[in-house]
């Protein structure tokens, strides 16, 4: 499995930004008010990812006094990390698309002002989720052992 590239996450975020902006442009009046808690849920997931990274990093690094991570558990943690990074990029694009529509109209009503605040909070929490997912994925990397260096020398 290859590491998630930031470039891929940016592409996902930009595509979603454009789609959500177009969707909101034609349907904003029929949408309910955006709750701030929607963004905070992303922050809660980011905190869980960060706690997983803190808990598993020593085990992946094979530090003394830690038990090794089972292969199935490692794959599950890696899947959570990748899913978090992608969800963070998707939601960043969605909140940014909404914000791009709302900012030019900010002073028109209290609902728009509230939605701007919700979009900013949601966007920041989405960035935190993507970053936590990438960090957790980074923590899942197993350090090279002495045998890995010998294998690289033989391939050259």
């Amino acid at each position: 499995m290859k590491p998630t590239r930031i470039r891929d996450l940016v592409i996902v975020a930009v595509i979603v930004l454009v789609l959500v902006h177009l969707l909101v442009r034609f349907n904003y009046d029929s949408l309910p008010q955006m709750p701030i808690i929607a963004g905070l849920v992303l922050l809660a997931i980011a905190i869980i990812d960060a706690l997983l990274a803190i808990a598993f990093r020593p085990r992946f690094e094979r530090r003394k006094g830690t038990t090794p991570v089972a292969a199935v558990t490692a794959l599950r943690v890696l899947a959570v990390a990748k899913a978090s990074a992608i969800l963070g990029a998707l939601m960043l694009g969605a909140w940014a698309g909404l914000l791009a529509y709302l900012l030019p109209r900010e002073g028109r009503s209290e609902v728009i002002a509230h939605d701007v605040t919700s979009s900013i909070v949601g966007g920041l929490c989405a960035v935190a989720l993507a970053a936590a997912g990438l960090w957790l994925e980074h923590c899942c990397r197993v350090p090279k052992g002495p045998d890995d260096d010998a294998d690289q020398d033989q391939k050259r």
Side-chain angles (χ1 to χ4, degrees):
M1 193 178 298
K2 294 182 180 179
T4 304
R5 294 182 297 197
I6 293 176
R7 178 188 73 191
D8 296 340
L9 296 178
V10 169
I11 291 170
V12 167
V14 169
I15 290 170
V16 172
L17 184 152
V18 170
L19 292 174
V20 168
H21 181 72
L22 290 173
L23 182 69
V24 169
R25 179 180 212 121
F26 297 110
N27 297 311
Y28 182 72
D29 294 333
S30 63
L31 293 174
Q33 191 172 3
M34 300 297 151
I36 292 178
I37 194 142
L40 295 177
V41 169
L42 300 175
L43 183 60
I45 299 169
I47 291 169
I48 292 169
D49 283 355
L51 292 173
L52 282 171
I54 291 168
F56 277 98
R57 186 173 189 168
R59 294 176 66 188
F60 279 115
E61 291 177 348
R62 301 177 184 146
R63 292 185 189 163
K64 291 187 180 191
T66 61
T67 58
V69 179
V72 173
T73 304
L75 287 174
R76 288 178 180 161
V77 171
L78 184 59
V80 167
K82 284 189 158 296
S84 295
I86 293 168
L87 177 62
L90 286 168
M91 292 310 298
L92 176 61
W95 288 115
L98 179 62
L99 191 61
Y101 174 79
L102 293 173
L103 279 179
R105 297 160 180 78
E106 187 176 6
R108 294 188 186 168
S109 73
E110 287 183 31
V111 173
I112 291 177
H114 179 271
D115 286 351
V116 166
T117 303
S118 295
S119 298
I120 292 170
V121 169
L124 292 173
C125 292
V127 168
L129 178 58
L134 288 172
W135 183 46
L136 179 56
E137 183 179 333
H138 175 76
C139 291
C140 289
R141 293 183 183 163
V142 177
K144 289 184 179 181
D147 295 338
D148 295 332
D149 293 333
D151 291 341
Q152 287 294 333
D153 291 338
Q154 288 178 356
K155 289 180 183 179
R156 289 182 189 168

